[in-house]
Amino acid sequence: MENRTKKAQFASIVGIVANLILAVVKGIAGVIGNSKALIADAFHSASDVVSSIAVLVGIRAAQKPPDPEHPYGHGKAENIATLIVSILLVVVGVEILLDSISTLFSDEQSETGMIALYAIIFSLIVKEALFQYKKRLGDKINSPAIIADAWHHRSDAISSLIALAGIGAAMIGSHYDLPFYSTLTQ
Ligand SMILES: [Zn+2]
């Protein structure tokens, strides 16, 4: 296997494993910490596993040598993977927009536990690290699929930031019993 494919494949597997871990951590912390925002984010991470698998499949298929049915090789497979990831990225973008609107008018429980806050900070750090790693690798090995996946991690980091703002606001609101938040959260 080509070195480029090996690196791209490793990066995709890192993404799959990270998203699985994030889904479990956020799911558990969301239930214990009583946070709807975090539970929704956990489901998002679970769906992200699919996006990472698409990249892995595309990269693996692209490195197959030409055969009688595909005399020009399988390079297009990576383009298809890039397309899938890009479509999912648009979906994530819309989701972030809707999330920010609903966060503003959220009924996030005011008794949200600190564990929810820690889990979302953990997610934010992991996602930004994944973005940095995959963006650099994608540029280096010239892989549009990896670059698109990198941008997905960055949007997830932004989405975690919005969830963090929502959870933080609910906590501050309940702590100081602000009238503004109690009208929002009731
Ligand atoms: Zn995502």
Side-chain angles (χ1 to χ4, degrees):
M1 200 184 285
E2 223 186 309
N3 198 30
R4 175 185 184 273
T5 312
K6 264 188 204 157
K7 280 183 178 161
Q9 193 174 301
F10 180 75
S12 314
I13 293 168
V14 169
I16 294 167
V17 173
N19 279 322
L20 275 174
I21 292 171
L22 286 175
V24 172
V25 168
K26 289 191 273 195
I28 293 171
V31 171
I32 296 174
N34 194 25
S35 168
K36 279 185 203 164
L38 197 56
I39 293 169
D41 214 34
F43 277 108
H44 177 96
S45 289
S47 75
D48 281 349
V49 175
V50 178
S51 168
S52 298
I53 288 173
V55 177
L56 181 63
V57 170
I59 284 162
R60 284 187 68 99
Q63 56 98 37
K64 273 194 226 154
D67 55 38
E69 280 108 89
H70 306 89
Y72 302 106
H74 299 78
K76 283 219 159 58
E78 188 166 340
N79 297 349
I80 295 167
T82 309
L83 185 69
I84 294 171
V85 175
S86 306
I87 292 168
L88 287 169
L89 194 55
V90 173
V91 174
V92 173
V94 173
E95 209 179 303
I96 289 176
L97 193 72
L98 295 177
D99 275 357
S100 9
I101 296 167
S102 71
T103 297
L104 274 175
F105 303 100
S106 78
D107 56 344
E108 177 75 19
Q109 296 90 332
S110 46
E111 65 275 20
T112 301
M114 282 304 282
I115 189 170
L117 203 66
Y118 296 141
I120 208 82
I121 293 168
F122 172 69
S123 171
L124 186 61
I125 294 168
V126 169
K127 281 292 173 177
E128 181 59 24
L130 281 171
F131 167 75
Q132 298 289 343
Y133 160 57
K134 288 200 185 178
K135 176 72 171 59
R136 246 165 247 169
L137 177 70
D139 285 340
K140 203 172 128 199
I141 65 173
N142 191 25
S143 166
I146 294 290
I147 294 171
D149 208 31
W151 282 110
H152 185 140
H153 290 306
R154 171 52 73 77
S155 8
D156 286 345
I158 295 169
S159 143
S160 292
L161 199 63
I162 294 167
L164 181 64
I167 292 170
M171 281 179 160
I172 294 167
S174 74
H175 185 76
Y176 294 103
D177 200 21
L178 298 176
F180 173 67
Y181 286 112
S182 45
T183 51
L184 283 183
T185 52
Q186 265 159 24

